[in-house]
Amino acid sequence: MRSKTKTTLGLLLAGALFISACGSGEVLGPPDTTPDTTPDTTTPDSLPEAAAGDPLLQINSEGGFVPLDWSLGRGPTFTVTHGGEFVFPGVTTLEYPGRLVPSNFSGQLDEDQMARVNELLQAMGIADIDDALDDDSAANVADATTEVIRFWDENGVHKYSVYGLGIDDDPASETTAVFADLVEYLNELAGTVDSAEYQPELLRVVAGTYQGGFEDEFERVEDWPLEGENPDDWDVFTTVGEDEWTCKAFAGSTLDVFADAKQTTIYNHPVADGGQVQLLVRPLHPGEEDCTL
């Protein structure tokens, strides 16, 4: 292994096409108010109705003054699917070293809860946003995270980002104020909805050569857990200078391999150049691509 270091309520926007035709010398009477029963053919067949498991919204906390490996191992804050599945981080304990695989939980939102989520999305007007950033609401704050919401509808993915969301009680835009209300509501739901440990379809594994940093008393060295896999052959996930992390997605059942792994677990690899490998492992939420940074 080369040397590596740590590192969008579907809102239906329908346009009406009005066709008026006038023949030469034709006398026009009152408008015809008979309901038009002609089939609507303005929506392309290529835009299928969203399935229950497709993502509706996803919120991520990005950047900030945090260790690079912690940032690379961080997943979405919240994901809600069209069918009402709600995925969110589990409780973090004070145990050190903590689990290698971060805890995620999943619950089912009811009709009233989904109605409130959709109401807030409408109030944001996110379906009318392609990709926008509010970096004025916390302009004088350093090293804060940027909260990013992605919303999926028939037109694709809509993205809205806010630097330092919630720091200023009087944000620069109404969209940002409603976004803060949405985050607060989802936080409330995470504490009240019936939930269980999230069972992902895919697991993301990011690998880098271990460069040291863990105290000897906490460092745990284990045999390579992914038989037949060489992280040198995986996709490059990110590069800092000449140092790289590589990445590959595995079936969710691979979680069992890391059941006892800790954040300070280091793996001996028999082939990879560098020998000792550090892994960052987490479940992928609905809507996440396999190895996109």
Side-chain angles (χ1 to χ4, degrees):
M1 181 182 294
R2 288 162 289 183
S3 178
K4 305 174 181 71
T5 57
K6 305 181 179 180
T7 72
T8 220
L9 211 230
L11 299 177
L12 301 177
L13 305 178
L17 177 63
F18 294 95
I19 302 175
S20 298
C22 244
S24 176
E26 181 181 1
V27 178
L28 299 180
D32 184 2
T33 58
T34 304
D36 184 7
T37 58
T38 304
D40 179 10
T41 60
T42 61
T43 301
D45 293 337
S46 60
L47 299 177
E49 202 173 304
D54 291 343
L56 172 68
L57 71 87
Q58 190 165 90
I59 297 174
N60 293 72
S61 184
E62 301 180 356
F65 191 65
V66 294
L68 192 55
D69 57 336
W70 186 86
S71 180
L72 291 178
R74 174 169 53 186
T77 310
F78 301 115
T79 298
V80 179
T81 69
H82 281 269
E85 183 183 14
F86 179 39
V87 185
F88 54 94
V91 175
T92 300
T93 68
L94 296 177
E95 173 190 15
Y96 184 83
R99 293 171 47 183
L100 173 63
V101 183
S103 175
N104 281 253
F105 278 76
S106 173
Q108 181 64 39
L109 302 186
D110 61 29
E111 291 184 5
D112 290 341
Q113 293 164 336
M114 283 296 291
R116 179 56 179 160
V117 168
N118 286 330
E119 179 184 21
L120 289 165
L121 290 171
Q122 283 185 337
M124 281 188 68
I126 193 167
D128 297 324
I129 298 171
D130 290 328
D131 187 349
L133 167 66
D134 173 8
D135 56 1
D136 296 324
S137 293
N140 297 318
V141 177
D143 300 328
T145 57
T146 297
E147 308 312 307
V148 182
I149 180 171
R150 291 174 176 84
F151 165 73
W152 285 259
D153 67 4
E154 68 276 14
N155 295 315
V157 185
H158 307 262
K159 179 182 175 184
Y160 186 69
S161 308
V162 181
Y163 175 73
L165 180 69
I167 292 178
D168 194 327
D169 293 333
D170 186 20
S173 78
E174 181 62 22
T175 301
T176 294
V178 179
F179 184 16
D181 290 341
L182 175 60
V183 171
E184 181 179 0
Y185 182 60
L186 292 174
N187 269 310
E188 293 175 3
L189 290 178
T192 58
V193 70
D194 288 337
S195 60
E197 193 80 26
Y198 175 54
Q199 302 299 317
E201 292 187 5
L202 290 173
L203 188 73
R204 190 179 76 183
V205 181
V206 176
T209 299
Y210 179 56
Q211 301 290 337
F214 298 140
E215 296 182 16
D216 292 343
E217 60 181 305
F218 297 117
E219 184 179 299
R220 296 174 49 175
V221 180
E222 305 283 350
D223 292 334
W224 182 247
L226 300 168
E227 185 177 353
E229 291 288 341
N230 184 349
D232 283 348
D233 299 329
W234 299 354
D235 294 335
V236 175
F237 185 62
T238 191
T239 302
V240 179
E242 297 181 356
D243 303 324
E244 297 174 346
W245 289 84
T246 59
C247 176
K248 185 173 181 177
F250 293 85
S253 57
T254 310
L255 270 173
D256 294 341
V257 172
F258 301 103
D260 298 324
K262 300 293 184 179
Q263 295 169 349
T264 56
T265 299
I266 306 303
Y267 296 97
N268 283 322
H269 195 284
V271 177
D273 182 23
Q276 288 193 328
V277 180
Q278 181 179 359
L279 298 180
L280 305 173
V281 184
R282 71 169 180 85
L284 289 174
H285 287 210
E288 287 196 279
E289 297 182 16
D290 297 356
C291 282
T292 299
L293 181 61

